C-alpha cells in the first residue's frame, strides 16, 4: 500500500535532475576577448590618468612635465612674499589682523614701533627677539618674543616681511630693502640673546 | 573539489595583485618621502608638530572629530593669471601688446598697467592662452609671468589655497584624513580661524560663535568651577544663555588647550612642487558663519 507513492517519487527525481558530475567544457572564446579588452582598457586608463605613477603628479595634472611646466616663479613682489612669511611665522601671535591678542601680544597695526622712519629696531626684534616690559602706543606689555633670524633664512624674506608689516592694516612706513636686512643681520650675528625695550630705544630707528 | 592547487593559485594571484596595487605600489610611490626645502620660504616643509599640539592630535582622535571632519582639500583644475612683470624699454609696443592680450582694456588702462608693472593683465585663463600670450610678448622687451591658481569646490569654499598631497601628512601618525564632511574640512583651519579664543568657545558650545552650527558641544573638555579669590584669566568669555551661573567660571582643561593647539597647527601655507599655487596675501575670514555651511 505504501510502496506505490514511494516509487513515483523516485521516478520523478530521475526524470527531472541529472546526476551532478565533473565535466570538461571549453571556456567560451568570447570571455577571453572580453577579459583582454577589459585589461587593455584598464592599462590605457592607468596610462592616461596615473601620471606615470610619479609621486609628484597629483590630481588635475597629468604628467611630471605638466607639473613642472606650471611652477610659478618665486614672487618678486615683497608684499606678497612678506604676506606669506607673515602667515607662516608671525600670524599665530600677532593675528592676521595685525592686532595681536589683548594682554598677550602687542598689536602691529598702528603701532608706534612700526610706523617710524626706519626698520632698524623692527629688524633687530625679528632677528633676536624681545623680552621684558615694552610700551606700545602708551600701553605697557610684558612678554617675550623669540628671535626668528634663523627661521627666516633669506634676507629677501626678512626684508619682505618687515615691508609687509610696515605697509599693511593702515600702516604707512618705508620699505625695508634686503641690503638693510643683511646689514642688521650681520651686526647682530653674535648677539645671541633677545633685546630689551630700553636697549632698542637707544638705537636709531634707521639702519645705519 | 579535485582542483585544489588551481583554486589555491588563483586566490593567491588575486590577493597578490590587490596587495601590490593597494599596498606595495603606493609604498614605492609615496612611502619614502622626507621633508623638502621650499625655496620660496627658505625652509624645510613640513615641520614636525611640537609642544602640546602633539597631544592635541590624540584628543582629536579620542573626541571623534574625524568622523565628521576631513583633512583633505581636493582640486579639480587650475587657471592662470597673467602678470606683466617688467615693461621693458619699448613701452608703446608693450602697451599695444597688453591691449592685444586683453581686448577689454582701454588705452588708459593698458598704459597704467605698463607704467605700474608688475600688474595683472588677464585673470583666469587656460594654459593655452598663457602660451599664446607668452609668444606674443617674445622679443618685445616686456616680460610676462603666469601665476597658477588652483580651482575646485573645496578651494572656492576657502578650505585651503591648494590641494593636499602626500607630503602634507608626513608627520601625522595616524593620518586622520577622514571621509565624512558633516562639518567643514579642517586641513587649513589654522589659517582660516587663527583665534585661539574662538576655538575654545566653539568647542565649549559651537552655538556661542556659530548660530546655525550642528556640531555637538564638548563641555567635558572644560571645567565649570567656583570663582576663587579673583576670576581666572583663562575663563571663557561666555554671554547670555551659555554663561555659567553667578559665581562660576568655565576653564578649559589641558585637553581643550591641546586640541586647540593642534587645530591651529593645521595649516596649508606652502606651495609644494606637486601642488603649486602662487602666494596670495593672507585674507582673514570675514564671515565666520559661512564656516558651518554644510558640504553637499
Amino acid at each position: 500500500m505504501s510502496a506505490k507513492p514511494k516509487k513515483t517519487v523516485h521516478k520523478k527525481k530521475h526524470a527531472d535532475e541529472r546526476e551532478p558530475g565533473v565535466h570538461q567544457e571549453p571556456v567560451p572564446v568570447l570571455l577571453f576577448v572580453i577579459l583582454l579588452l577589459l585589461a587593455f582598457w584598464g592599462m590605457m586608463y592607468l596610462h592616461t590618468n596615473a601620471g606615470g605613477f610619479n609621486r609628484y603628479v597629483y590630481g588635475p595634472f597629468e604628467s611630471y612635465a605638466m607639473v613642472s611646466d606650471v611652477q610659478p616663479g618665486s614672487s618678486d613682489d615683497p608684499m606678497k612674499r612678506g604676506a606669506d612669511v607673515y602667515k607662516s611665522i608671525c600670524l599665530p601671535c600677532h593675528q592676521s589682523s595685525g592686532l595681536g591678542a589683548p594682554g598677550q601680544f602687542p598689536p602691529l597695526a598702528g603701532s608706534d614701533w612700526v610706523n617710524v622712519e626706519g626698520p632698524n629696531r623692527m629688524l633687530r626684534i625679528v632677528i633676536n627677539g624681545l623680552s621684558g616690559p615694552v610700551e606700545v602706543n602708551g600701553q605697557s606689555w610684558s612678554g617675550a618674543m623669540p628671535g626668528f633670524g634663523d627661521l627666516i633664512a633669506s634676507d629677501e624674506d626678512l626684508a619682505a616681511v618687515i615691508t609687509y608689516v610696515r605697509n599693511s592694516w593702515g600702516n604707512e612706513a618705508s620699505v625695508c630693502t634686503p641690503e638693510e636686512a643683511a646689514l642688521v643681520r650681520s651686526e647682530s650675528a653674535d648677539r645671541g640673546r633677545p633685546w630689551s625695550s630700553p636697549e632698542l630705544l637707544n638705537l636709531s630707528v634707521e639702519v645705519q | 573539489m579535485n582542483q585544489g592547487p588551481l583554486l589555491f593559485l588563483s586566490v593567491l594571484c588575486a590577493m597578490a595583485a590587490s596587495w601590490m596595487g593597494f599596498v606595495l605600489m603606493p609604498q614605492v610611490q609615496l612611502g619614502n618621502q622626507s621633508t623638502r626645502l621650499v625655496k620660496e620660504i627658505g625652509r624645510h616643509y613640513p615641520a614636525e608638530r611640537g609642544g602640546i599640539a602633539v597631544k592635541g592630535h590624540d584628543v582629536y582622535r579620542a573626541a571623534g572629530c574625524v568622523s565628521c571632519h576631513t583633512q583633505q582639500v581636493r582640486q579639480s583644475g587650475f587657471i592662470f593669471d597673467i602678470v606683466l612683470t617688467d615693461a621693458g624699454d619699448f613701452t608703446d609696443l608693450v602697451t599695444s601688446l597688453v591691449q592685444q592680450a586683453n581686448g577689454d582694456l582701454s588705452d588708459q588702462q593698458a598704459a597704467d598697467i605698463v607704467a605700474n608693472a608688475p600688474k595683472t593683465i588677464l585673470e583666469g585663463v587656460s594654459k593655452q592662452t598663457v602660451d599664446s600670450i607668452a609668444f606674443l610678448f617674445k622679443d618685445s622687451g616686456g616680460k610676462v609671468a603666469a601665476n597658477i591658481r588652483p580651482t575646485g569646490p573645496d578651494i572656492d569654499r576657502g578650505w585651503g589655497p591648494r590641494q593636499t598631497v602626500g607630503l602634507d601628512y608626513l608627520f601625522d601618525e595616524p593620518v586622520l584624513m577622514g571621509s565624512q564632511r558633516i562639518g567643514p574640512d579642517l586641513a587649513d583651519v589654522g589659517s582660516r580661524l587663527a583665534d585661539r579664543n574662538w576655538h575654545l568657545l566653539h568647542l565649549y558650545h559651537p552655538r556661542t560663535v556659530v548660530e546655525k552650527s550642528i556640531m555637538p558641544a564638548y563641555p567635558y573638555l572644560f571645567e565649570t568651577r567656583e570663582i576663587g579669590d579673583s576670576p581666572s584669566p583663562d575663563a571663557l568669555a561666555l554671554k547670555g544663555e551659555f554663561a555659567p551661573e553667578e559665581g562660576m567660571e568655565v576653564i578649559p582643561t589641558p585637553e581643550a588647550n591641546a586640541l586647540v593647539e593642534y587645530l591651529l597647527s593645521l595649516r596649508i601655507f606652502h606651495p609644494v612642487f606637486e601642488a603649486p599655487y602662487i602666494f596670495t596675501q593672507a585674507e582673514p575670514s570675514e564671515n565666520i558663519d559661512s564656516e558651518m555651511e554644510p558640504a553637499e
Side-chain angles (χ1 to χ4, degrees), chain A residues 55-56 58 69 71 87, chain B residues 29 32 127 166 267 273-274:
Chain A
R55 68 164 59 165
Y56 297 114
Y58 279 82
D69 200 28
Q71 291 298 315
K87 209 174 170 186
Chain B
Q29 209 183 338
N32 52 345
K127 181 78 180 118
R267 292 196 289 146
F273 180 83
E274 52 265 55

Side-chain angles (χ1 to χ4, degrees), chain A residues 54-79:
Chain A
N54 191 306
R55 68 164 59 165
Y56 297 114
V57 183
Y58 279 82
F61 307 104
E62 281 158 20
S63 63
Y64 185 83
M66 191 170 176
V67 187
S68 55
D69 200 28
V70 299
Q71 291 298 315
S74 140
S75 179
D76 291 335
D77 183 354
M79 286 297 279

Side-chain angles (χ1 to χ4, degrees), chain A residues 53-56 58 60-61 64 66-72 80 83-84 87-88 91 95-96 151 157 164, chain B residues 29-30 32 36 40-41 43 75-76 78 80 127 148 163 165-166 194 267 269 273-274 276 278-279 284:
Chain A
F53 289 102
N54 191 306
R55 68 164 59 165
Y56 297 114
Y58 279 82
F61 307 104
Y64 185 83
M66 191 170 176
V67 187
S68 55
D69 200 28
V70 299
Q71 291 298 315
K80 278 188 175 169
D84 195 70
K87 209 174 170 186
S88 64
L91 182 138
Q95 306 294 325
S96 49
L151 268 180
D157 281 343
Y164 173 74
Chain B
Q29 209 183 338
L30 294 167
N32 52 345
R36 202 183 302 159
E40 283 85 353
I41 50 164
R43 279 195 285 136
Q75 177 179 338
S76 57
F78 50 92
F80 295 87
K127 181 78 180 118
I148 188 166
Q163 65 181 337
V165 293
R267 292 196 289 146
F269 49 86
F273 180 83
E274 52 265 55
I278 191 71
F279 294 135

